Amino acid sequence: MLTRLKGASIYDPVNNLNGVCGDIWIRDEYICEAPDSPEKADVTVDLEGRILMAGAIDIHSHIAGGNVNNARLLLPEQHMAERGAFSTLPFSAAKWSAHDTGYRYAEMGFTTVVEPAVLPINAAQAHAEFADIPIIDTAGLAIVGNDDFLLRMLRQREEQSRINDYLAWTLHATQCLGVKVINAGGATAFKFNQRQLLLDDEVPMYGMTSRQILNAVQRAVVQLGIRHPVHVHCNNLGIPGNVNTALDTIEAADGLPMHLAHVQFYGYGNDGASGFSSGARALADAIMKNSNITVDIGQVLFGQTVTISGDVMRQFDARHIASPNKWVVWEGEDGGGGIVPFRYRPKNFVNALQWAIGLELFLLIDDPWRVFFTTDHPNGAPFTAYPELFRLLMDRDYRNQWLDRINAKSADISLLPHLDREYDLNEIAIMTRAAPARLLGLDDRGHLAAGAIADIAVYRPQADKAAMFGKAELVFKNGALVVEEGKVIRSVQGKTHAVSPEFDRRIETTIGDYFDRYHLMKMDHYKLDPQHLLETLGSELVFH
Amino acid sequence: MLANASHPLIDGLIGDLLDCKAAARLAENFGGTIDHLHGNAIARNLRIYQQGGWLISSMGEVRNRADLVILVGEELEATHPRLQEKLFESPERLHASAPPAIHQLGHDCLDLLSVVRARLADKPVQSDITGSDELITQLSASVYPVFVIGCLPEQSAELIIRTCIGLVRDINETRRAALLILGSGEGDTTAQLGTTWNNGFGIRTSHARGFPEQDLEMHAGSRLLESGEADLLVWISSLSTSPPPQVRQSTLVFGHPAMVFTHGPPDIFLPVGVPGIQRAGYLHRADGLRMVPLHKLVDSTLPGSITLCEHLISQEPRTC
Ligand SMILES: [Zn+2]
């Protein structure tokens, strides 16, 4: 089947197409070269006046796993279904279900989404949920840095090559695309009743600092040749003055690639009468100066949401601000986490400033290849609020209207009134397509060259960017038309992406012995087997 | 039968993840409701959880780190065989050299727990109770006490669990402690967690109005059967040979091939592959943190329940 998408304005930064009018050709699942004669097309879709981009990619969104699923259970009131919502697609009326996640992302033109916090012991459930998310492709990042086996190796000053073997084994066991470090050593310190862990604090019982754990993991990722740099959730999330933690972490990266997640939550100074201020300028400057650093924002948008995090220390600390007043904290073999519902209010000084700091960072970091579009779903806002964020970034007048509605003191001290920048379509295509594919090492997407997966989003140009990006006019997933006029018309099975770096298999003797001594299962039962995943969950893995 | 039923109840769910997915899919397609054999206990714990949350540990953490285990509930050995050996008697532990001290509490422990909680919070108590000194001394001396909660009698379970949750919260203001809630077994954890990411809510969710609605009281399987609101019972039980309850509704069983029908056979019995023997699958560990892979051990021509359900759904797909 050969399809011609005819006459759209094409935004494909990788191939230097910045609104050029032209055709894109699809043969089956892939984008192909134009045939010698246009008459060869089986189907021609006239897209004159439309905007065409590769499918969007979300690098950090909590869409699966035990922590997310337990949040669904905790907060039924946040996702009540409504009459009339049903269609013939499975579970399309079940809000915040795996199915709903796939449908809602697809409607906006997103075709690949990464779950950034797969706890290894919970990896099977994460994959089971991935397999039930329709349409979009998925991937997970495996959490390391609070697992006793790694900390033990560091305590015994094992060689870096052994640490590399262990991390590669962890990816092999969890079938993930990269690794994530969450407050390195923090969950472990919390186990021993410590309530804060700074970058240079020692982790109790293990005698190494958070920085040393982070550095060891970062080196392993670089030496193993894993394309996605170590994905870091820094220490001290949400605490006034923590911009210094972020700056120290950037320095700790020592020129090697590192991704800092949801930096809005680390953009906080402690100046002023309230002891809470914007640290966005200093943070943005440091990011601009260090080209080895990439960040996503974790933008806050106003409304009810729930924070879901593997930073158990931070989530326990946040129990007092739970709204509604209920919270969950849990700990397990290789980490922990917590669920704290929260409502961001525009008239609240802190919330309004958080909102402003996120936008300041988006606008001050003048490199769309290194700053990524996230709300840390659902921590800053649910991903379903993305249309609002597109509009805030692309429409200065709209932003300024908001400045009149938020807490006056926050608006007053914010840099936003002085920031005129508006993201253009080319920058949006970089930030949400080209750059994420490059950052994740997924070369077959994020662009529209022949050979790429035919994941394509078509939008109708509108002054209201929220309306434009909220409902794609057409979306193709692997060449199949899945969305029309912002509505899912067909469901297809997505794939899950992973890496499998080489490692010295002899480490399995040591790990196997460790499991026999300290775990409730055998190592072989802990490792996910791709064949078993396929047979039971229908989960199709693609290795990069 | 499914197409003609106005409100099928899909109950039992004594199965693995794939059986539970089959149940959720059937309920959605045929406008039914799902529940589990131990729906009352699951619903009670879920109600407590949804009202305030809790602070919990995992089985591995108890095995490796707890220095005091307060066992709440008497028949743990029946619902969770080998728990004792695996969690409390392991020769090697990560963060302790000796096994944890075990403090067994009976079903009548509510008053004791309340007094201990009040005394630890320096609140006046009307009258002290035997054993509170001992428990307070143990709690104060331990670094990581864990309240392990098993099966409890229905009339006192809720208050006991709430008191333990409160006690753990209080202790964590200055020190560490946690709960481990083990449930009733027979696939209860998988039924609850595995259906949640499908329908958004878990068990006792009805699709009778065309969209999922959870109601922990109204959608209880036993109530729907007694009142007659459910007009068909679909019993899914791939892991247990026990028969479905005897009811006046027509009954369709997706069951263990060796199921014994003591009150006579159901209207339709479809034997299905047993996960972990005749087919592969997944079952949650009792603490819910981990899904344990089940492997196929013998060749079998028996289909899995999910295969049968997908087939039924394809015969009679939802049209609206
Ligand atoms: Zn996150």
Side-chain angles (χ1 to χ4, degrees), chain A residues 491-505:
Chain A
S491 185
V492 296
Q493 172 81 32
K495 297 183 169 98
T496 299
H497 298 264
V499 290
S500 73
E502 287 298 316
F503 62 96
D504 183 344
R505 297 269 158 175

Side-chain angles (χ1 to χ4, degrees), chain B residues 297-310:
Chain B
L297 302 180
V298 297
D299 277 331
S300 164
T301 53
L302 286 174
S305 60
I306 194 147
T307 312
L308 287 177
C309 288
E310 292 295 346

Side-chain angles (χ1 to χ4, degrees), chain A residues 60 62 116-117 180 233 261-262 308 376-377 379:
Chain A
H60 189 120
H62 299 278
K180 162 94 170 284
H233 168 128
H262 40 71
I308 302 175
D376 190 15
H377 161 78
N379 291 306

Side-chain angles (χ1 to χ4, degrees), chain A residues 12-293:
Chain A
D12 179 10
V14 173
N15 297 298
N16 297 313
L17 299 177
N18 182 3
V20 177
C21 187
D23 294 354
I24 295 291
W25 288 79
I26 305 173
R27 185 182 298 281
D28 304 325
E29 294 191 20
Y30 298 94
I31 293 171
C32 64
E33 302 285 358
D36 39 23
S37 145
E39 275 85 70
K40 299 222 166 119
D42 298 307
V43 180
T44 297
V45 187
D46 187 2
L47 295 177
E48 203 180 319
R50 306 297 195 276
I51 286 159
L52 185 149
M53 298 181 181
I57 301 170
D58 192 339
I59 67 156
H60 189 120
S61 172
H62 299 278
I63 53 169
N67 219 7
V68 173
N69 204 47
N70 290 336
R72 292 184 176 109
L73 281 170
L74 182 69
L75 297 157
E77 66 273 22
Q78 285 193 19
H79 55 106
M80 305 281 256
E82 284 150 22
R83 179 177 277 287
F86 55 91
S87 77
T88 52
L89 296 165
F91 295 109
S92 57
K95 289 191 178 176
W96 200 15
S97 61
H99 284 81
D100 187 56
T101 300
Y103 301 142
R104 297 291 91 79
Y105 260 116
E107 285 172 1
M108 297 188 293
F110 280 75
T111 47
T112 304
V113 179
V114 175
E115 159 58 60
V118 174
L119 197 67
I121 196 164
N122 190 246
Q125 182 171 325
H127 280 275
E129 295 188 43
F130 288 159
D132 285 341
I133 298 175
I135 304 177
I136 60 173
D137 282 6
T138 53
L141 303 180
I143 301 170
V144 296
N146 280 297
D147 39 340
D148 172 76
F149 193 88
L150 175 64
L151 301 193
R152 204 171 266 251
M153 286 177 103
L154 293 171
R155 180 170 63 194
Q156 290 160 0
R157 303 191 188 287
E158 298 257 15
E159 283 176 27
Q160 182 69 38
S161 63
R162 295 271 293 163
I163 290 167
N164 300 356
D165 287 337
Y166 172 65
L167 283 196
W169 177 85
T170 301
L171 288 166
H172 162 72
T174 58
Q175 306 296 352
C176 283
L177 188 66
V179 296
K180 162 94 170 284
V181 172
I182 299 178
N183 189 359
T188 305
F190 183 67
K191 285 180 180 177
F192 298 103
N193 201 29
Q194 208 158 303
R195 305 296 162 110
Q196 196 181 33
L197 187 74
L198 306 178
L199 190 60
D200 288 308
D201 282 352
E202 231 174 59
V203 182
M205 314 295 280
Y206 292 94
M208 88 286 295
T209 62
S210 191
R211 179 195 297 264
Q212 287 169 320
I213 302 171
L214 183 58
N215 282 338
V217 174
Q218 183 193 28
R219 276 195 298 271
V221 170
V222 171
Q223 291 177 14
L224 287 166
I226 298 166
R227 290 278 297 278
H228 186 50
V230 60
H231 195 108
V232 182
H233 168 128
C234 300
N235 313 54
N236 288 332
L237 183 139
I239 295 170
N242 67 3
V243 66
N244 290 318
T245 306
L247 297 175
D248 289 347
T249 309
I250 290 172
E251 212 172 284
D254 203 19
L256 294 175
M258 182 181 280
H259 179 81
L260 301 185
H262 40 71
V263 285
Q264 176 276 130
F265 289 108
Y266 300 95
Y268 307 155
N270 50 12
D271 298 333
S274 333
F276 186 70
S277 58
S278 170
R281 175 76 73 181
L283 185 51
D285 285 350
I287 292 161
M288 287 309 292
K289 222 178 288 164
N290 290 274
S291 60
N292 58 313
I293 300 293

